[in-house]
Structures are given as C-alpha cells and as structure tokens.
Amino acid sequence: MRLLRPLLIVAAVALAALVPAGSALALSYPVTSTGDGGAKGTLRTSIEEANAHTGPDTIPIEASGTIELGSALQVLFDPVAIVGPGADELEVRRAASNDFAVFGFTTDASPSSLTGLTVSNGRWAFGAGIRNIEASLTLTGVVVRDNEAVDESGAEGGGIYSEGPLTLRETVVTANAARASGNPGGLTKALGGGVLATAPLTIEASTISGNVAEADGDGSATTAQGGGLLAETEASISRSTISGNAVDASGAAAQLRAQGGGIQTYLATITASTVAGNSSSSAGLALGANIHSLVSTTVRGTLLATPLGGADSCSGGLAPGSEEFSSGGYNLDEDGSCELGESSDLVGVVAGLDPVLRNNGGPTPTLSLLEGSIAIDRGSSFGLSVDQRGLPRPSDFPAISDKEGGDGSDIGAFELQAPAARGVEPVRVTETAADRTAPNTRIVSGPPRNTYKREAKFRFASTEAQSRFECRLDKKRWRGCRNPFKRSVKPGKHVFKVRAIDRFGNVDPTPARFGWRVKPLS
C-alpha cells in the first residue's frame, strides 16, 4: 500500500493535463472492496460510474487481494487511469465458466492507462486479458498472465490485443496463449500468443515470456505467428527480454507454417534487449525461432541466442532466404542466421547466458550474463543510462577490453555490475589466458531427431570470437566447414560433429555432437 499514494498522484497529474479548457473536471471513483457485486466501492461499480461521467477519470484501487469476476466488466468508453496497489498486491481475474476478456477499451477511452495490478484467466477469441479497440493505452507495472485466446479458425492476442497505440513499461506478459483448431474448410490461424498489436507499439523495460501461439488445422492452410509478440506495424523495443515463447503449426493442412517464436515484426527497432530461447516448430515450414521480420527490423546492442524447435534464430520476408534485418552495431548473433554485418557485431559465438529467467533485481525478471560471457563490455549504451533492471549502464570492467567504438556496456538487456562498484576487486580477464585455453563448441540448431527430410542444416557457435570450425559427418574425415553446415543425406541414422579452433590454434578437445534419423518416405 505504500506505493499507492505516489501512483495516484502521478495518475491525477497526468489526467489533469489531458482535460481541455472548459470541459468537466476529472473525478475519482475509488475501489475499496474486492467484491464483484453492484455495491459502491467495487471495481465493477467504479467503472460504470466513470463511464457515466463525461471526460477523463481515475479509478484508484485501495483494496488488495483478488477480484473474482463472475461476468464481464463494462467496456471502458471514456479516458480513465486505473491505478492498483501493485501487481503482487492485486489480481483481477475471470472466475466464471463463461468466456470473456478481463478489460476492454473502446476508441473513446483514449488515452487510458492501467498501473500496478495483475490481469489473469481471461478467455476470448481475441484479447483475452486486455482488448483495446483503437484507444491509446499505457500499461505500467502490470502483469498479464494465464489468459487464452481460443477460436476454431482464428485466435488473436492471448494476453493483449490492441488496435490503438500501446505502450508497455516495466510490464510482464507471461503464460498466455492463442490457440486455434478445428477449421476443416479453410485457414486456421493463431496470432500473438502474448501480444498482438496492429497499431504503433512501444515496449520498455518489460519481459514477454512463456507465451504460445498454436494452430492445428486440416483445411487449406494452418499458420502460427508471433508466440510472444506479433507487431503488425511500427514497433520500438528497448531494455526488454523476450524469452521462452513458442509457435507451433500442426495438423493435416495442405500448408503448415510457423514463424516468429519470440517476435514477428513488420517495421521494428530493437535496442539493448535480449531475445533468446524462443521456439518455432512445424511439420511444414518453421521460421524464425527468435525473430521473423516481414519488412525491416533493425537491431542494436541486442543479444540473440538459443533458438529452439529446429528453426534458425532469425528469418525474414515471406519466404526463406529473404531476411530483412539491418544492424545498428554491437549485437551478438549466436547462430549467425540474422546476417548482421557490422564490424562491432559478434556472430557465431556462444552468448554465455543464464538459460533461466530469474528475479535479478528490478521490476521484471531477466536473463543474466554468466561470468566470462563474451557479451560483457562488448557493447554500446546507445544513450541509455540504465539496463532493464534500472541499474547503471555502462558498468565497465577495467580488465576487459571494450569493443572498438563502444563504451563498455554489455550486449543485451542485462548489465553485469562491475565488482568494484560493490567494493570488491574486479575479476581479471586477460587475452593471455585465452591464448592457452581451448574454445568450447555448441550446436545451436539442427534437424529434428526423427525426420523425413533429407537435407540437414546445422548452426553452431564457439565461446571465442574469430574461431574457425571443422566438421565431420558420420565416418568421414574432419574438414574445415562453413557455418551453417548443409548436407543432403540418405535415410538412416547419422551423426554430425563440429569443433572450434580459436585464432591462436587451440582446438576444442570435446567436439559438439548431434545424432538424428532420416526415415524413408515409403
């Protein structure tokens, strides 16, 4: 409750600035109860009262606990600032057996905002948690979780569906889903498991994780797009983490397509963010485990790693091989599929990233850099003074050389804080230590373990920059190879091995290994 008063003051000041001269003054309709009846002081009644008053209003929620909704709330059609006591203090959730979205905003509710609460368990065909029809909407310190967009032919925006300008600040969108199945005659589509935005989108210091878009259909085509986020127009993402999201297209449709496990973008700029551990899978075409860019995506100071599901980390355009990515510099592209060409980019190297999303401080969970990560001090701040957690950036380790032209910032959303800032001697990392140490090799992506496809493609990475690679397929000899490695093989069991050799000639003594089986078509 200590945070409530400052939040209310901020909301009141913001709304006062929005009131035109000569219009009605903004009013406040406090929520003092977690009940769901028609009594005064409930969220349901406060929304109805705000809608009845022309002009912007505030709804300060002074109660804590869980508001169990037995039916849909009235859709908001006037500007309103709904201010909760904190996402860990108040949850608003659908508790009924019938389906409805938790919050709805119409065009006339612009601008509106949600602050300091959790939105959960909504179920609707689109925008199950929050459905926004053309209003300008800002979410600050909100958690959107466990909502499900479900429909036979088209499910869109499991957590959030927005047709108006949308801003997410210090917000978590997690464990939401868009699921479509059972359309036998035509297109089955699942779009935006976490967020679907058809208007300009801004994401700052937020985490989108564990969301999924799943489509299962037997008609003409089945597609799943944007497991974490689908942005259909301009998008700006900074100091944020997109992790553990997935797209999956299945069924007996003539065309199966999954794309953008983490993000599907149209025109986007991604700055100082971490996009890792997302998945794209399909019995047909699987593209962009981390990012699929339809037109143009610029990444800068961003870490892209650990694609899952058999697809490359990045893909672009409407067909494979037409990547639409540009580099603003100082990125880390672990599997090399984003085709970033700036000299400051690190390509084909192991990121050294903690695979588990944790509370590492700050308002949202993050993926931390492990000790010795090559991303430490190899980036640029691009004018940002803090990382996703709000901790100082850059935090420069004197013993680690900065990338030429950089300022000692780390690559990605997480800035490892130099021990000296905590009164401890900094860890010494020197080039001479690397001279005597062999690199470690990791296979980043490969074919399914059991497949009918004869062409196999592998991407791999080394823990040391500027490494070269040697590959071995089955019982053939070791030979120098390019990354990615592509070969056509016969049906049967196969084994692929790869080892890195650093620029000082040290050879990885434990090559990475991958076994798979190609099944005959008949």
Side-chain angles (χ1 to χ4, degrees):
M1 296 296 290
R2 286 177 294 179
L3 294 176
L4 179 59
R5 190 174 186 84
L7 289 172
L8 295 182
I9 293 172
V10 170
V13 171
L15 277 171
L18 296 172
V19 181
S23 66
L25 293 175
L27 298 181
S28 178
Y29 301 96
V31 175
T32 57
S33 167
T34 57
D36 187 41
K40 191 173 183 62
T42 63
L43 177 61
R44 186 177 300 278
T45 299
S46 293
I47 287 175
E48 292 169 357
E49 290 174 337
N51 276 337
H53 172 254
T54 301
D57 299 300
T58 62
I59 299 179
I61 303 178
E62 301 170 2
S64 59
T66 302
I67 297 176
E68 303 272 3
L69 299 177
S71 59
L73 294 170
Q74 193 174 90
V75 173
L76 288 148
F77 49 81
D78 253 3
V80 64
I82 300 176
V83 185
D88 57 344
E89 295 287 332
L90 179 76
E91 181 175 354
V92 183
R93 70 186 303 272
R94 178 187 67 92
S97 58
N98 56 309
D99 295 348
F100 55 86
V102 179
F103 284 104
F105 297 83
T106 65
T107 304
D108 294 332
S110 185
S112 286
S113 63
L114 284 173
T115 303
L117 52 82
T118 292
V119 179
S120 71
N121 204 42
R123 197 171 191 270
W124 195 245
F126 65 101
I130 299 170
R131 184 174 70 250
N132 175 33
I133 307 302
E134 297 186 356
S136 177
L137 179 63
T138 299
L139 273 59
T140 304
V142 173
V143 173
V144 182
R145 71 176 184 218
D146 298 317
N147 301 283
E148 182 182 30
V150 58
D151 188 71
E152 183 177 278
S153 58
E156 304 182 29
I160 304 169
Y161 176 93
S162 183
E163 294 180 353
L166 176 66
T167 298
L168 306 181
R169 292 195 180 101
E170 298 182 356
T171 286
V172 176
V173 181
T174 185
N176 303 284
R179 293 189 172 97
S181 63
N183 183 15
L187 174 65
T188 300
K189 61 181 181 180
L191 309 177
V195 181
L196 190 154
T198 67
L201 172 68
T202 301
I203 299 177
E204 300 172 354
S206 295
T207 295
I208 299 177
S209 67
N211 305 285
V212 62
E214 296 177 334
D216 184 356
D218 299 334
S220 59
T222 296
T223 183
Q225 303 175 22
L229 163 67
L230 194 159
E232 293 189 351
T233 182
E234 298 90 350
S236 173
I237 302 170
S238 66
R239 298 190 298 125
S240 295
T241 298
I242 316 292
S243 174
N245 305 284
V247 287
D248 182 79
S250 59
Q255 298 181 25
L256 291 172
R257 188 183 186 101
Q259 57 194 50
I263 313 171
Q264 178 164 299
T265 62
Y266 184 78
L267 295 168
T269 299
I270 305 174
T271 304
S273 294
T274 298
V275 187
N278 301 287
S279 171
S280 177
S281 59
S282 171
L285 193 59
L287 302 171
N290 283 320
I291 303 177
H292 182 76
S293 173
L294 288 175
V295 177
S296 176
T297 295
T298 298
V299 291
R300 53 184 193 164
T302 290
L303 191 156
L304 300 138
T306 324
L308 303 174
D312 291 344
S313 180
C314 296
S315 64
L318 299 176
S322 59
E323 282 82 2
E324 301 290 345
F325 286 89
S326 62
S327 171
Y330 303 97
N331 302 290
L332 191 156
D333 175 12
E334 195 175 59
D335 78 349
S337 64
C338 303
E339 299 188 354
L340 306 178
E342 291 296 319
S343 60
S344 57
D345 293 327
L346 298 174
V347 177
V349 296
V350 175
L353 193 67
D354 185 346
V356 180
L357 205 61
R358 305 180 193 273
N359 179 4
N360 294 306
T364 52
T366 51
L367 295 173
S368 65
L369 295 175
L370 300 175
E371 182 180 341
S373 168
I374 199 169
I376 297 171
D377 285 8
R378 301 300 175 90
S380 173
S381 63
F382 293 98
L384 299 170
S385 60
V386 294
D387 70 355
Q388 180 173 339
R389 302 168 297 163
L391 296 182
R393 162 169 280 173
S395 179
D396 202 358
F397 288 76
I400 302 177
S401 59
D402 298 348
K403 198 74 174 175
E404 184 178 355
D407 60 9
S409 292
D410 298 346
I411 300 174
F414 182 95
E415 181 79 13
L416 187 65
Q417 300 298 296
R422 303 192 297 266
V424 181
E425 283 295 317
V427 176
R428 298 291 175 182
V429 180
T430 64
E431 287 296 330
T432 56
D435 293 0
R436 301 188 301 270
T437 303
N440 290 319
T441 316
R442 185 164 73 85
I443 295 173
V444 177
S445 63
R449 296 287 182 176
N450 289 281
T451 180
Y452 291 101
K453 295 182 180 179
R454 295 196 176 191
E455 183 179 80
K457 182 171 72 170
F458 295 90
R459 290 190 183 272
F460 30 88
S462 168
T463 52
E464 294 187 26
Q466 302 176 31
S467 293
R468 59 187 176 89
F469 297 93
E470 290 184 341
C471 298
R472 181 179 183 180
L473 182 60
D474 296 329
K475 296 182 179 181
K476 295 182 180 180
R477 295 180 179 181
W478 287 101
R479 291 185 178 180
C481 58
R482 294 183 177 182
N483 188 2
F485 176 91
K486 298 179 182 179
R487 286 291 186 278
S488 181
V489 297
K490 296 179 179 180
K493 294 182 179 180
H494 299 279
V495 175
F496 170 75
K497 296 180 181 180
V498 58
R499 62 190 182 191
I501 304 172
D502 68 20
R503 62 188 184 277
F504 304 107
N506 299 303
V507 181
D508 183 356
T510 56
R513 181 183 185 278
F514 186 96
W516 82 107
R517 179 173 176 261
V518 178
K519 296 182 286 187
L521 292 174
S522 58

